[in-house]
Amino acid sequence: MAKTSARKTAAKRGTRSSKPASRAPRAAGDKKFVYLFGRQTDGNGAMKALLGGKGANLGEMCRIGLPVPPGFTITTEVCTYYYANKRSYPPVLRAQMDAGIASIERQTGKKFGDLKNPLLVSVRSGARDSMPGMMDTILNLGLNDQTVEALAARTGNPRFAWDCYRRFVQMYGDVVLGVQKRADEDHDPFETVIHGLKHERHRQDVEDTTLTADDLKELVARFKALIKERAGKQFPNSPWDQLMGAVGAVFGSWMNDRAIVYRRKYNIPTEWGTAVNVQAMVYGNTGDRSGSGVAFTRNPANGAKEFYGEFLINAQGEDVVAGVRTPEPVSELKAQMPKAYAELERIRQTLEKHFKDVQDFEFTIEDGVVYMLQTRNGKRTAMAALKFSMDMYREKLIDWKTAVMRNPADQLEQLLAPVFDAAEAAKAKAIATGLPAGPGAASGQIYLNADRAVAAAEKGQKVLLVRIETSPEDLRGMIAAEGILTARGGVSSHAALVARQMGKVCVCGAAAIEVDYQARVVKVEGRSFKEGDWMSIDGTAGKVYAGQVKTAPSEIVAGLIHGDAAAKKTEKFKNFQQLMKWCSDASRMSVRTNADTPEQAANAVAFGAIGIGLTRTEHMFFEGDRIDAMREMILAETEDARKAALAKLLPYQREDFAGIFRALHGYPATIRFLDPPLHEFLPHTTEQQAELSKKIGVPAARIHQRVEQLHEFNPMLGFRGCRLGIGYPEISAMQARAVFEAAAQVQKEGIKVRPEIMIPLVGFKKELDLQIEVVHQAAREVQAEQKVKLNYMVGTMIEIPRGALTADEIAQSAEFFSFGTNDLTQTGLGMSRDDSGSFLPQYAELEIVKKNPFATIDTTGVGQLVEIAVTKGRATRPNLKLGICGEHGGDPASIQFFEKVGLDYVSCSPYRVPVARLAAAQAALQAKAGD
Ligand code: ADP
Ligand code: MG
Ligand code: MG
């Protein structure tokens, strides 16, 4: 196959690679599985699906002239093939790899396995989205007992050659041959060997860099013996055997536990697969004019526009991230290697200009020359994302719509999270400081291992995970913890990386704390903290406190909800307001809130909600003495007795509604009538029943009997929703009267009032008609009594499948629909949310459900019910108002779906309102871009 034609095919495929099915099947024989980068570059940054994120961007960096060591990428399609064909490769792969190696050889002048000038390569995994720590990289591949001597002779640096070799044997032994820490071991076995040798030969824990060539040679021998003993295999000598083994290990690691856990958390489909990158080595470990580092073009923790990163002199790749040696900030390079620093600055500018986003990149300096090994959009905290987006807009790097898209909606809540109360923190006095790696404030009971942290969190404790440093094994513990504290590691350490991504509060490299895993204690400043003791960390300032420290609301909450003038002057507050304004400009849907009290309604309005999408009136019946009146009503034996009890409830409801109407300043309020089954209001224990009997003068036996009578086998599907109002119309009449009397009262105060009465659980048009009549009757009465004209609507909740399927009929009577997606999911799936805990986790594991359907709407199933109801409802009543008030109303992925089906608004809890506004804006922008 001629090169030129291969390149054309590649370019063509790049744009279509996300839809392989639309392609005419090609003979496997001429398929391109290997893409070069370097002097010739086949791929580009847009080809992440095929080349993985790392491979695509290596290609892109070559295209813009950045110094990248040459190499090639084996496509994700090979990974798919590998798992579809009993872990084997397409037959043509080897020949294409041969050509790839030959190309690297031509560009470097080195030869794979050569005894004069050996080519060494790295083998690197690279999925579509980076998966930190999930896949393992092998460096210096191609070394054996012969080529190591050649490398030593060629460079005149035996120490360097043996350092490469011992790293290679160690990584290969671990990643490919599976020599890893056993359950009964506390340390990695290779590290134990290194530790032993250091103490034998140097009688102390010296730095790796002080090991001599001879020490390293000895380590190689001991490592090989360890591998032989543990894996029962000889270390492979042939470079090609090494290479094929490493490639297999990368593909194999796609299915390891850690990778699976990570994919599940971030909803990454298994089918995507990983690519493998094979790349010529450059060496950061040749001496003091070399090194290796990780940097961000801006500060990913707080968003500041500063070169941010760190490096280690005389080190290779993973040393920086591993947190074994503590690296130095990049700015130090300015003094130590001014030329290299200037080059890095140039690269930093080039990257931002080209990618127009903050980049997280990896580099190596070999004898003063800078090489780029990776770049990707930097993971960032919500705080940094906000500042990046606003700054880059002002710098004219991006437009306002891009700025909106740059703020991850599901992270936005971080900005509303509490911070430590300044006065309290000053009193508490920091006991240690570290790097501020994940902003926010967290207090928790400390645990020193991930399993115990998870167990404690499951018991409901607030947990702080404390580790010397974290590794991917700790992921579960990190997910469970409020915050993460490490004694070692820099801003690019694993802990910092993951914390940034998950929005966890994190302080790392707090060197003053001493973590004793065996004794399960943390010592600092002469004090000891046992597991279960409280500590607090401030991830914005990098401070560690003993005990619990009181928190204060974030500047945004302080400014919006409490009207704090100082908070309103902060940059964070102003940026947030700008973002929210743009969200309003971009959105088609509006955002309402689910609120049951005037305070909640006011908060939501402060956050930008433009109405209430759901008021659950039953919540009002639980407060104070009201519950007794409610119980009297339920226990009443005649209609008159029931009406008497209801009359006691009416003033309460009226006051509640009036408060809510006032808080809304003219925005609409959707008020749902009584919904839950009545037994939820009655006391269930004998003591409680006796107590109630004394209070309201109904015999305990009668109460007991009524509880029995109301018992249901499936309360969720029982006597609830509109069925109650149909059974006892006087309840609906009382509620309607309370709404209208409150409306009349507030309207007379000069405030516009727009009640929207919502009848729950409707499956038949007739159900709705019966209730609507009760509502209109009350409206007529109140309007006549009060001599006012009220502006109201009556509609229904669509929350059972029959309601959705007969929406055309129901829309004849309903003036609006609000999708109650909680119940619609329960009834649509035939799955009780409260009982799903016993099987849903396994369903997620088996990928029967890709996401929890109670958190993110099941678009393929329940979504169809929504779509049917939208279509049928609007066919009957073109101006039918459509909203959603389930849990899904605050979920960005679900909001995207609601945008697509054309709802008018989403409604969510007050503190989710900003999230929903951002998600609605992004959904609208995406929909427009998709047109
Ligand atoms: P990860 O996905 O875990 O970041 P990488 O494939 O990026 O793994 O490799 C980790 C580190 O290994 C890189 O940051 C780099 O420092 C080093 N490395 C990888 N390939 C090379 C290479 N060809 N030459 C020198 N160092 C390399
Ligand atoms: Mg790695
Ligand atoms: Mg990397």
Side-chain angles (χ1 to χ4, degrees), residues 108-120 150-151 154:
T108 57
K110 300 175 181 176
K111 276 199 148 15
F112 201 42
D114 195 45
L115 296 185
K116 284 214 189 73
N117 192 7
L119 167 69
L120 305 191
L151 184 66
R154 180 94 196 172

Side-chain angles (χ1 to χ4, degrees), residues 400-401 404 581-588 920-922 924-925 928:
W400 70 271
K401 290 178 183 170
V404 170
K581 182 183 171 300
W582 283 338
C583 287
S584 299
D585 294 346
S587 303
R588 184 190 58 76
Q922 292 178 340
L925 290 172
K928 272 202 203 116

Side-chain angles (χ1 to χ4, degrees), residues 380-444:
R380 59 204 66 181
T381 63
M383 193 166 146
L386 179 62
K387 186 160 161 52
F388 288 168
S389 65
M390 293 300 152
D391 287 351
M392 291 187 137
Y393 167 77
R394 285 182 206 115
E395 293 159 27
K396 302 199 164 46
L397 271 176
I398 57 176
D399 62 11
W400 70 271
K401 290 178 183 170
T402 310
V404 170
M405 295 306 295
R406 285 285 166 80
N407 287 274
D410 45 14
Q411 278 185 29
L412 196 71
E413 260 188 339
Q414 282 176 35
L415 294 173
L416 309 183
V419 295
F420 282 132
D421 183 294
E424 292 289 326
K427 256 191 274 161
K429 188 170 168 295
I431 51 171
T433 55
L435 295 163
S443 282

Side-chain angles (χ1 to χ4, degrees), residues 447-491:
Y447 287 91
L448 275 51
N449 114 340
D451 289 338
R452 293 194 297 275
V454 170
E458 275 169 2
K459 275 189 269 163
Q461 290 184 15
K462 284 196 184 307
V463 168
L464 210 62
L465 181 68
V466 186
R467 301 282 298 165
I468 296 174
E469 66 218 38
T470 67
S471 73
E473 283 88 30
D474 299 324
L475 205 57
R476 290 170 205 262
M478 297 174 81
I479 293 170
E482 302 293 314
I484 300 146
L485 170 63
T486 71
R488 265 194 270 173
V491 290

